[in-house]
Every structure is written in C-alpha cells, then in structure tokens.
Amino acid sequence: MLNPPSEAPVLQGLWEAVQAGQREVLLSPYLPASYAFLTHVLLCTPFLALDALGSVCQRVRSWRVSAGSGPPPSLRRWGECFLRVLGRYLSSVLPATALLHALCSPAVLPLLAPSCWELCVEVFAGLLVFDTLFFICHVAMHRVPWLYRRVHRHHHRHHLPFALAAQDSSSLELLSLLLLALSSSWLVGCHPLSEAVFHLLNSWLAVEDHCGYDLPWALHRLLPCLGGAPCHQAHHALHNVNYAPYFTHWDLLFGTYCAPELYLRKER
C-alpha cells in the first residue's frame, strides 16, 4: 500500500464512521460472500427493468447486442436464475469462505483511511490483477476438458447471457471467482475502503459484461481498453475468443481477441 500523506485523508471521516458503527460487520467471516451476492443482485436491478421494458418497447430492444435475437429474458428466467445463484451461495460459497476466514489470522483494521489517489490506484491495480488471473483460469477451463465439463459448462448454458447470469455458475466456479477477487485485493495490498470499492466495481463490470445491452453510456464506450457486453457475448457464442473478463490487452496479445463486429456479422 502507498504511504499515507501527512495531512488527514479526505476519506478519514468516512472510514472512522464505518469503523465506529460497523466494526463487527467488517470483521465478520460472512462479509465477503454476503457482499458479493448482495451487490451482484442490486447491480442487476437496472437491467431487470430494461428487460421488462424491452418486452414492450422497441427502442430498448434496439440496444441489445443481438437486436434481432428475440425478446429479452422473461421474469421467470430471472427468478429461476436468482434461486440457483442464491442456493449455491448458501450451500457452498458462504460456508467455504467463512471456514477460510476462520483459518486465517484475524484482520487488523488500519487507523488511517487511504487518500483519494491511493484508493483509485489500488482499485485500478486490483482490477488489472483480477483480469490477469481470470484470463489464465478462464483459458484453462476452456482448454482442459475435465475443467470445462465439471466447472465451467454450466455458465455457458446461456448462449445469450443476461445480467443476473454473470454468477449463474457451478458452485466451484462461483467460489473460485470470489477467491480470485479476494486474492487480487490482497496482492495489491488494498485498504478495506479500496477493497470495498474494488469489489463493487468488479461486480458492476461483470454484470455489464453479461447484460446483453450495448448501451450508449456503457463503460466500454467511454474506455476503449474495455471489451464490454459485445465482446463477452461473442465469447458466449463462439467459446474460443475473448477470454479476459474486462480489458482486451491479454486477448490481443495472445491472438484470442474477436471484434464484436465480426461476431455480429457471423450472426447475421
């Protein structure tokens, strides 16, 4: 972690308030899994509204990556997906992460908050590390038949993914994704505030990748280094391209990048 500046950080008041009121929550063994599940569900709600509107509004359907692929997923599909994800968190992810927390040394909360600059650097570095680790694991899950059948195939049941399906995976894959995210923040040395923002942004990027919409204000339109929903939908359709979750540099470097325009041309 970067050395704190001599003056009190801007975020110090926020950090002291969080520590004073939520110290037990911050140290809870159930926090990582609970935070991952709740942020995922909450961040999916705007896309649930879009999918509901898409069934009656042509303008909303025109924003879909595959505009001619039929109506958005129904509320029933959303409900079934929610129950699957909830069941896997309760049966596997929550107990496993709580056990891991109990085996590790007790966390010590720092007195000082990070500066705004430190927070931004730590969050960005965490996303880069996660993107790298996920790329390696994702390639392995596709190239090793046993891993694909036992771990990853369930996620690819969604040829055209939707937001909630970002975590509609096998229990082992869900657990591995959470451990990759926790490991990324640990490797960077994130402050707890930076870690909370990292996990929040990580969840948002995963939801946006799977949402099925190429929205005018989407992050990949603002930041060309991101692939976004069009790139990830190409992965779900073709399976052997666009392995990186967010950034495009690893796929470009290893020759596994497929431009969304080429995928959409094949679809037509």
Side-chain angles (χ1 to χ4, degrees):
M1 188 184 299
L2 301 175
N3 292 325
S6 55
E7 69 273 10
V10 175
L11 299 172
Q12 187 63 35
L14 172 63
W15 176 234
E16 289 174 356
V18 170
Q19 284 197 89
Q22 305 295 335
R23 188 176 184 86
E24 289 185 4
V25 174
L26 291 173
L27 297 174
S28 169
Y30 305 110
L31 178 63
S34 301
Y35 185 72
F37 177 75
L38 291 174
T39 53
H40 175 66
V41 171
L42 289 173
L43 292 174
C44 285
T45 53
F47 298 105
L48 172 60
L50 277 179
D51 282 349
L53 285 172
S55 61
V56 295
C57 179
Q58 178 60 38
R59 178 64 181 271
V60 172
R61 287 200 297 272
S62 71
W63 290 335
R64 291 181 62 76
V65 175
S66 298
S69 60
S74 64
L75 292 178
R76 180 175 179 175
R77 280 189 68 193
W78 273 82
E80 291 171 348
C81 183
F82 173 80
L83 292 176
R84 284 195 300 269
V85 176
L86 176 62
R88 291 190 176 94
Y89 264 93
L90 292 177
S91 64
S92 305
V93 180
L94 191 67
T97 51
L99 176 62
L100 182 64
H101 188 279
L103 295 175
C104 295
S105 303
V108 178
L109 298 177
L111 294 176
L112 281 177
S115 68
C116 294
W117 171 250
E118 287 170 342
L119 185 143
C120 292
V121 169
E122 288 173 1
V123 169
F124 182 66
L127 289 173
L128 286 176
V129 171
F130 178 84
D131 193 79
T132 302
L133 295 177
F134 185 95
F135 177 82
I136 296 169
C137 293
H138 199 188
V139 170
M141 285 190 290
H142 276 272
R143 301 290 172 87
V144 179
W146 184 89
L147 285 176
Y148 183 80
R149 289 194 308 270
R150 299 290 184 179
V151 180
H152 194 49
R153 183 167 59 182
H154 178 89
H155 184 63
H156 273 277
R157 65 189 294 172
H158 301 285
H159 178 71
L160 295 175
F162 60 102
L164 198 60
Q167 292 202 13
D168 190 8
S169 305
S170 67
S171 297
L172 189 56
E173 184 170 1
L174 268 182
L175 180 60
S176 67
L177 286 173
L178 183 54
L179 292 179
L180 282 181
L182 292 171
S183 299
S184 299
S185 60
W186 177 78
L187 287 170
V188 171
C190 286
H191 187 281
L193 270 183
S194 304
E195 185 175 0
V197 176
F198 159 71
H199 289 303
L200 183 66
L201 187 55
N202 192 34
S203 292
W204 172 255
L205 288 170
V207 166
E208 196 176 65
D209 264 8
H210 290 81
C211 72
Y213 290 93
D214 188 10
L215 298 169
W217 55 84
L219 283 177
H220 69 274
R221 288 182 172 270
L222 304 175
L223 301 171
C225 58
L226 297 176
C231 275
H232 198 69
Q233 189 150 309
H235 170 76
H236 271 257
L238 304 175
H239 289 206
N240 60 349
V241 297
N242 299 349
Y243 293 108
Y246 310 136
F247 300 98
T248 57
H249 58 273
W250 289 120
D251 283 303
L252 288 168
L253 183 63
F254 285 94
T256 54
Y257 177 75
C258 175
E261 297 80 12
L262 296 178
Y263 152 67
L264 292 172
R265 198 176 302 148
K266 291 178 182 177
E267 286 285 293
R268 296 191 189 100

PDB file of all heavy atoms in Angstrom, residues 16-28 109:
ATOM      1  N   GLU A  16     -13.651   6.478   9.724  1.00  0.00           N
ATOM      2  CA  GLU A  16     -13.887   6.435  11.170  1.00  0.00           C
ATOM      3  C   GLU A  16     -15.344   6.124  11.477  1.00  0.00           C
ATOM      4  O   GLU A  16     -15.645   5.384  12.420  1.00  0.00           O
ATOM      5  CB  GLU A  16     -13.466   7.765  11.802  1.00  0.00           C
ATOM      6  CG  GLU A  16     -11.964   7.977  11.821  1.00  0.00           C
ATOM      7  CD  GLU A  16     -11.566   9.354  12.325  1.00  0.00           C
ATOM      8  OE1 GLU A  16     -12.485  10.170  12.593  1.00  0.00           O
ATOM      9  OE2 GLU A  16     -10.350   9.616  12.455  1.00  0.00           O
ATOM     10  N   ALA A  17     -16.254   6.676  10.688  1.00  0.00           N
ATOM     11  CA  ALA A  17     -17.680   6.398  10.902  1.00  0.00           C
ATOM     12  C   ALA A  17     -17.998   4.939  10.629  1.00  0.00           C
ATOM     13  O   ALA A  17     -18.768   4.303  11.360  1.00  0.00           O
ATOM     14  CB  ALA A  17     -18.525   7.309  10.013  1.00  0.00           C
ATOM     15  N   VAL A  18     -17.401   4.388   9.567  1.00  0.00           N
ATOM     16  CA  VAL A  18     -17.623   2.980   9.235  1.00  0.00           C
ATOM     17  C   VAL A  18     -17.072   2.083  10.341  1.00  0.00           C
ATOM     18  O   VAL A  18     -17.738   1.125  10.774  1.00  0.00           O
ATOM     19  CB  VAL A  18     -16.968   2.632   7.881  1.00  0.00           C
ATOM     20  CG1 VAL A  18     -16.974   1.137   7.642  1.00  0.00           C
ATOM     21  CG2 VAL A  18     -17.692   3.346   6.750  1.00  0.00           C
ATOM     22  N   GLN A  19     -15.871   2.390  10.819  1.00  0.00           N
ATOM     23  CA  GLN A  19     -15.280   1.581  11.884  1.00  0.00           C
ATOM     24  C   GLN A  19     -16.086   1.647  13.166  1.00  0.00           C
ATOM     25  O   GLN A  19     -16.295   0.633  13.836  1.00  0.00           O
ATOM     26  CB  GLN A  19     -13.856   2.048  12.170  1.00  0.00           C
ATOM     27  CG  GLN A  19     -12.829   1.629  11.144  1.00  0.00           C
ATOM     28  CD  GLN A  19     -11.425   1.764  11.709  1.00  0.00           C
ATOM     29  OE1 GLN A  19     -10.898   0.842  12.309  1.00  0.00           O
ATOM     30  NE2 GLN A  19     -10.829   2.910  11.507  1.00  0.00           N
ATOM     31  N   ALA A  20     -16.570   2.855  13.506  1.00  0.00           N
ATOM     32  CA  ALA A  20     -17.299   3.032  14.759  1.00  0.00           C
ATOM     33  C   ALA A  20     -18.626   2.273  14.755  1.00  0.00           C
ATOM     34  O   ALA A  20     -19.017   1.672  15.757  1.00  0.00           O
ATOM     35  CB  ALA A  20     -17.539   4.519  15.012  1.00  0.00           C
ATOM     36  N   GLY A  21     -19.316   2.284  13.615  1.00  0.00           N
ATOM     37  CA  GLY A  21     -20.645   1.697  13.584  1.00  0.00           C
ATOM     38  C   GLY A  21     -20.710   0.279  13.057  1.00  0.00           C
ATOM     39  O   GLY A  21     -21.676  -0.436  13.333  1.00  0.00           O
ATOM     40  N   GLN A  22     -19.695  -0.136  12.282  1.00  0.00           N
ATOM     41  CA  GLN A  22     -19.789  -1.423  11.596  1.00  0.00           C
ATOM     42  C   GLN A  22     -18.541  -2.282  11.781  1.00  0.00           C
ATOM     43  O   GLN A  22     -18.236  -3.110  10.936  1.00  0.00           O
ATOM     44  CB  GLN A  22     -20.019  -1.177  10.091  1.00  0.00           C
ATOM     45  CG  GLN A  22     -21.202  -0.304   9.763  1.00  0.00           C
ATOM     46  CD  GLN A  22     -22.522  -0.933  10.152  1.00  0.00           C
ATOM     47  OE1 GLN A  22     -22.635  -2.145  10.231  1.00  0.00           O
ATOM     48  NE2 GLN A  22     -23.531  -0.108  10.390  1.00  0.00           N
ATOM     49  N   ARG A  23     -17.841  -2.123  12.880  1.00  0.00           N
ATOM     50  CA  ARG A  23     -16.588  -2.863  13.061  1.00  0.00           C
ATOM     51  C   ARG A  23     -16.815  -4.382  13.047  1.00  0.00           C
ATOM     52  O   ARG A  23     -16.056  -5.131  12.422  1.00  0.00           O
ATOM     53  CB  ARG A  23     -15.922  -2.432  14.372  1.00  0.00           C
ATOM     54  CG  ARG A  23     -14.527  -3.014  14.544  1.00  0.00           C
ATOM     55  CD  ARG A  23     -13.847  -2.503  15.801  1.00  0.00           C
ATOM     56  NE  ARG A  23     -12.501  -3.007  15.888  1.00  0.00           N
ATOM     57  CZ  ARG A  23     -11.440  -2.439  15.311  1.00  0.00           C
ATOM     58  NH1 ARG A  23     -11.601  -1.356  14.579  1.00  0.00           N
ATOM     59  NH2 ARG A  23     -10.239  -2.962  15.436  1.00  0.00           N
ATOM     60  N   GLU A  24     -17.868  -4.840  13.725  1.00  0.00           N
ATOM     61  CA  GLU A  24     -18.146  -6.276  13.761  1.00  0.00           C
ATOM     62  C   GLU A  24     -18.495  -6.809  12.376  1.00  0.00           C
ATOM     63  O   GLU A  24     -18.127  -7.925  12.017  1.00  0.00           O
ATOM     64  CB  GLU A  24     -19.299  -6.558  14.735  1.00  0.00           C
ATOM     65  CG  GLU A  24     -18.913  -6.360  16.200  1.00  0.00           C
ATOM     66  CD  GLU A  24     -20.036  -6.759  17.134  1.00  0.00           C
ATOM     67  OE1 GLU A  24     -21.084  -7.251  16.651  1.00  0.00           O
ATOM     68  OE2 GLU A  24     -19.878  -6.589  18.358  1.00  0.00           O
ATOM     69  N   VAL A  25     -19.205  -5.982  11.594  1.00  0.00           N
ATOM     70  CA  VAL A  25     -19.558  -6.391  10.230  1.00  0.00           C
ATOM     71  C   VAL A  25     -18.302  -6.511   9.374  1.00  0.00           C
ATOM     72  O   VAL A  25     -18.138  -7.471   8.607  1.00  0.00           O
ATOM     73  CB  VAL A  25     -20.547  -5.395   9.604  1.00  0.00           C
ATOM     74  CG1 VAL A  25     -20.806  -5.737   8.139  1.00  0.00           C
ATOM     75  CG2 VAL A  25     -21.853  -5.383  10.377  1.00  0.00           C
ATOM     76  N   LEU A  26     -17.391  -5.540   9.514  1.00  0.00           N
ATOM     77  CA  LEU A  26     -16.163  -5.550   8.716  1.00  0.00           C
ATOM     78  C   LEU A  26     -15.308  -6.786   8.995  1.00  0.00           C
ATOM     79  O   LEU A  26     -14.593  -7.258   8.113  1.00  0.00           O
ATOM     80  CB  LEU A  26     -15.347  -4.285   8.999  1.00  0.00           C
ATOM     81  CG  LEU A  26     -15.927  -2.961   8.501  1.00  0.00           C
ATOM     82  CD1 LEU A  26     -15.088  -1.787   9.010  1.00  0.00           C
ATOM     83  CD2 LEU A  26     -15.987  -2.935   6.984  1.00  0.00           C
ATOM     84  N   LEU A  27     -15.379  -7.304  10.224  1.00  0.00           N
ATOM     85  CA  LEU A  27     -14.561  -8.446  10.600  1.00  0.00           C
ATOM     86  C   LEU A  27     -15.334  -9.763  10.531  1.00  0.00           C
ATOM     87  O   LEU A  27     -14.794 -10.813  10.883  1.00  0.00           O
ATOM     88  CB  LEU A  27     -14.018  -8.244  12.022  1.00  0.00           C
ATOM     89  CG  LEU A  27     -13.091  -7.032  12.208  1.00  0.00           C
ATOM     90  CD1 LEU A  27     -12.730  -6.845  13.673  1.00  0.00           C
ATOM     91  CD2 LEU A  27     -11.829  -7.173  11.361  1.00  0.00           C
ATOM     92  N   SER A  28     -16.575  -9.718  10.054  1.00  0.00           N
ATOM     93  CA  SER A  28     -17.406 -10.915  10.013  1.00  0.00           C
ATOM     94  C   SER A  28     -16.904 -11.902   8.966  1.00  0.00           C
ATOM     95  O   SER A  28     -16.544 -11.510   7.850  1.00  0.00           O
ATOM     96  CB  SER A  28     -18.858 -10.535   9.695  1.00  0.00           C
ATOM     97  OG  SER A  28     -19.626 -11.690   9.410  1.00  0.00           O
ATOM     98  N   LEU A 109      -7.703  -3.728  11.376  1.00  0.00           N
ATOM     99  CA  LEU A 109      -8.164  -2.590  10.590  1.00  0.00           C
ATOM    100  C   LEU A 109      -7.212  -1.408  10.765  1.00  0.00           C
ATOM    101  O   LEU A 109      -6.860  -1.059  11.897  1.00  0.00           O
ATOM    102  CB  LEU A 109      -9.576  -2.190  11.017  1.00  0.00           C
ATOM    103  CG  LEU A 109     -10.662  -3.255  10.823  1.00  0.00           C
ATOM    104  CD1 LEU A 109     -11.994  -2.747  11.348  1.00  0.00           C
ATOM    105  CD2 LEU A 109     -10.785  -3.640   9.353  1.00  0.00           C
TER     106      LEU A 109
END
